[in-house]
């Protein structure tokens, strides 16, 4: 099993160039299914999840030509209606192929999705939306099969602004007959990036105050697009600086996308500066106390909740976090407590009493972001921390060990 061995207590200092956003790259790769013409995507991060989505689209008939940070996705053979199960089982985002396949072929069969085991993560909003657009759902136990003679535009109100459901329905609506209006949509920067790509492909999409309107087209064309920077990777490295009392700058970012996160750091008494495409956290002191509620964008991102909690565990006073996006997103908390943190779980709330020091131990990464939180704790802890199941973290962070070493962290990866 791959693991990371961290000798804690080094101050991290320096610059990190941030990759393209995983959560924008995944739907962009799926969008290739909407056209027979080539898509050229730049700033694609080198991540397992991206490899999985590319394998998914290639199992459906696409030819994938990677060139460094760029990938070209072109037509290889006619699309088929069913991706290989093993890809979808590995990653929830592969489920997004369902609507595009349905719009192009009138039929699609997709296994029920896997991915991180955070909360229940159902797909009911996706299916209800597709049904509103004319799909007949034949649900089986381990796969969803859908048929539609024609996908038609519809009025859809999402019960919650789900990122995946919004992306799924926008992509499907782009090839529907007539107009679709999605009320209560997600507005994450990654959703906006997908909209920009789809517009380049010829889609007609309008973002209104409380809805997204899509005028369906008969066909879409190829396009070239650069993926936005990964705000979650950026936030994680800034917190790596904060938790070690260091001085870390993240480059190639959109500071505006980090606004809610930076507001919390400011409230916690940390000082930072920002330019057009960088943010630097310097002169870090022990953070806190703060109260944070995770929420859809522009609120505080749930994916930065675990890394923030790691930093607050070494903060001053008592902080409180309400996790309102996912159930059970606290799997990493018992591990932090074994390292000496004092965090109590009360339903979907965490009460964090800052401690002066953590002590290294052996832990396992429960998922991408929870794993990142444990790595941060290890960087600050006394002695050695071994983080098992690095492969889970690497679904969302490329070359984390190398990047941390460049910042002065003493980390070694071994198999
Ligand atoms: C995306 C991100 C993930 C992030 C999450 C919330 C990707 C690949 N992943 O995940 O990193 O943590 O947004 O910002 O972009 N829900 C339902 N029914 C549904 C769909 C969602 O009840 O059909 C619920 C979920 O269980 C969850 C909430 O809605 O409680 C938000 O989930 P959603 O926004 O859909 O997350 P993902 O798109 O899976």
């Amino acid at each position: 099993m791959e693991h990371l061995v961290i000798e804690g207590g080094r101050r991290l200092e320096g610059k990190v160039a941030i990759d393209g956003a995983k959560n924008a790259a995944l739907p962009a790769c799926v969008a290739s299914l909407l056209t027979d013409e080539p898509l050229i995507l730049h700033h694609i991060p080198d991540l397992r999840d991206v490899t999985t989505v590319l394998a998914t689209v290639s199992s459906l008939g696409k030819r994938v030509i990677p060139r460094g940070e760029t990938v070209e996705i072109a037509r290889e053979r006619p699309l088929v209606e069913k991706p290989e199960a093993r890809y979808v089982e590995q990653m929830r985002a592969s489920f997004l192929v369902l609507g595009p396949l349905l719009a192009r072929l009138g039929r699609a069969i997709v296994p029920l999705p896997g991915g991180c085991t955070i909360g229940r993560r159902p797909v009911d909003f996706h299916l209800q939306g597709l049904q509103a657009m004319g799909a007949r759902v034949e649900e089986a136990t381990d796969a969803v099969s859908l048929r539609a003679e024609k996908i038609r535009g519809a009025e859809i109100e999402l019960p919650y602004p789900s990122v995946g459901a919004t992306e799924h329905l926008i992509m499907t609506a782009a090839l529907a007959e007539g107009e679709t209006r999605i009320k209560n949509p997600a507005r994450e920067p990654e959703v906006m990036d997908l909209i920009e790509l789809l517009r380049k492909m010829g889609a007609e999409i309008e973002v209104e105050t409380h809805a997204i309107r899509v005028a369906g087209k008969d066909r879409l064309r190829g396009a070239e697009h650069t993926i936005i920077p990964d705000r979650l990777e950026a936030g994680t490295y800034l917190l790596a600086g904060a938790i070690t009392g260091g001085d870390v700058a993240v480059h190639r970012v959109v500071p505006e996308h980090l606004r809610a996160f930076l507001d919390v750091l400011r409230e916690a008494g940390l000082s930072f500066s920002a330019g057009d495409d960088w943010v630097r956290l310097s002169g870090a002191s022990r953070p806190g106390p703060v109260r944070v509620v995770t929420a859809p964008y522009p609120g505080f991102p749930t994916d930065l909740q675990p890394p923030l909690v790691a930093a607050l565990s070494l903060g001053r006073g008592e902080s409180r976090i309400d996790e309102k996006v996912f159930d059970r997103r606290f799997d990493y908390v018992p591990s932090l407590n074994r390292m000496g943190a004092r965090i109590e779980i009360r339903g979907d709330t965490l009460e964090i009493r800052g401690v002066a020091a953590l002590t290294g131990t052996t832990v396992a990464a429960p998922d991408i972001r929870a794993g990142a939180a444990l790595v941060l704790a290890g960087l600050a802890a006394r002695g050695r921390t071994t983080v098992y199941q690095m492969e889970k973290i690497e679904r969302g962070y490329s070359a984390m060990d190398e990047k941390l070493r460049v910042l002065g962290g003493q980390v070694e990866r071994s198999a």
Side-chain angles (χ1 to χ4, degrees), residues 26 45 54 87-88 106 126 157 159 284 291 320 347 364 376:
L26 299 178
L54 291 173
Y87 301 131
V88 185
H126 299 238
E157 176 153 7
R291 291 196 59 153
R320 183 187 155 123
L376 296 196

Side-chain angles (χ1 to χ4, degrees), residues 22-24 26-27 49 91-93 96 118-127 160-167 186 188 190 231-232 295-297 301-303 324-327 329 369:
K22 169 181 84 83
N23 288 351
L26 299 178
D49 274 10
M91 188 184 60
R92 190 177 157 80
L96 302 184
I118 36 177
R120 290 170 296 115
R121 304 188 91 181
V123 287
D124 49 338
F125 307 160
H126 299 238
L127 295 176
Y160 185 87
S162 152
V163 173
T166 304
E167 293 170 343
E188 268 63 5
E190 294 76 15
R231 62 198 168 101
L232 307 170
Y297 193 83
T302 172
D303 286 349
K324 294 291 187 198
V325 181
F326 285 112
D327 295 336
R329 202 171 190 177
R369 312 295 166 188

Side-chain angles (χ1 to χ4, degrees), residues 79-415:
L79 287 182
V80 295
E81 62 201 25
K82 188 176 178 185
E84 274 185 42
R86 60 188 160 127
Y87 301 131
V88 185
E89 281 155 8
Q90 271 171 45
M91 188 184 60
R92 190 177 157 80
S94 297
F95 191 68
L96 302 184
V97 304
L98 188 61
L101 288 178
L102 188 67
R104 300 244 10 231
L105 304 173
R107 183 172 158 79
I109 308 166
V110 177
L112 281 168
C116 295
T117 51
I118 36 177
R120 290 170 296 115
R121 304 188 91 181
V123 287
D124 49 338
F125 307 160
H126 299 238
L127 295 176
Q128 283 157 14
L130 295 174
Q131 276 172 301
M133 296 170 88
R136 289 194 311 284
V137 178
E138 304 156 10
E139 263 186 69
T141 34
D142 51 358
V144 181
S145 116
L146 290 187
R147 271 179 199 280
E149 279 70 55
K150 196 141 216 85
I151 287 286
R152 289 195 189 81
E155 283 269 324
I156 299 166
E157 176 153 7
L158 291 176
Y160 185 87
S162 152
V163 173
T166 304
E167 293 170 343
H168 201 165
L169 298 174
I170 293 174
M171 284 195 278
T172 312
L175 285 180
E177 189 181 278
E179 189 174 280
T180 299
R181 196 151 170 263
I182 304 166
K183 289 199 257 178
N184 196 26
R187 314 172 157 276
E188 268 63 5
E190 294 76 15
V191 175
M192 297 303 142
D193 198 43
L194 174 66
I195 291 177
E196 205 185 313
L197 166 64
L198 294 172
R199 283 178 177 150
K200 290 178 187 168
M201 295 170 71
E204 212 180 301
I205 304 173
E206 244 182 88
V207 180
E208 302 169 347
T209 319
H210 301 293
I212 292 174
R213 199 188 280 274
V214 185
K217 299 280 176 196
D218 289 340
R219 58 164 48 89
L220 297 180
R221 53 176 181 263
E224 188 165 349
H225 182 69
T226 301
I227 301 295
I228 54 167
D230 198 315
R231 62 198 168 101
L232 307 170
E233 188 193 27
T236 303
Y237 284 103
L238 288 174
L239 287 169
I243 200 171
T244 61
D247 182 346
V248 167
V250 289
H251 282 247
R252 285 210 310 201
V253 299
V254 180
E256 173 61 24
H257 293 168
L258 286 157
R259 184 188 287 226
F261 169 75
L262 294 175
D263 284 347
V264 167
L265 297 192
R266 188 183 295 117
E267 195 192 324
L270 302 177
S271 54
F272 58 86
S273 45
D276 282 351
D277 69 346
W278 58 269
V279 178
R280 175 180 173 187
L281 192 95
S282 51
S285 52
R286 290 178 66 191
V290 287
R291 291 196 59 153
V292 177
V293 181
T294 65
Y297 193 83
F300 188 92
T302 172
D303 286 349
L304 286 174
Q305 176 260 107
L308 176 72
V309 168
L312 294 173
S313 74
L314 281 167
R316 292 170 287 112
E318 194 166 317
S319 291
R320 183 187 155 123
I321 309 268
D322 291 305
E323 174 53 65
K324 294 291 187 198
V325 181
F326 285 112
D327 295 336
R328 299 207 301 261
R329 202 171 190 177
F330 298 145
D331 305 13
Y332 63 98
V333 168
S335 297
L336 282 186
N337 283 343
R338 279 200 293 115
M339 296 175 76
R342 288 180 66 193
I343 306 171
E344 244 182 89
I345 303 175
R346 291 186 195 279
D348 54 13
T349 297
L350 291 184
E351 285 172 12
I352 306 155
R353 245 175 252 184
V355 295
L358 297 177
T359 310
T361 184
T362 298
V363 293
D367 66 55
I368 306 177
R369 312 295 166 188
L374 298 176
V375 171
L376 296 196
L379 290 167
R382 292 188 182 135
R384 173 177 297 184
T385 300
T386 306
V387 183
Y388 280 93
Q389 294 188 359
M390 270 309 281
E391 59 280 5
K392 291 207 177 150
I393 300 180
E394 285 169 344
R395 288 184 47 197
Y397 295 91
S398 75
M400 191 184 226
D401 56 327
E402 270 170 56
K403 290 180 184 175
L404 290 173
R405 272 197 299 276
V406 168
L407 294 174
Q410 197 173 329
V411 296
E412 283 309 325
R413 218 200 120 96
S414 41

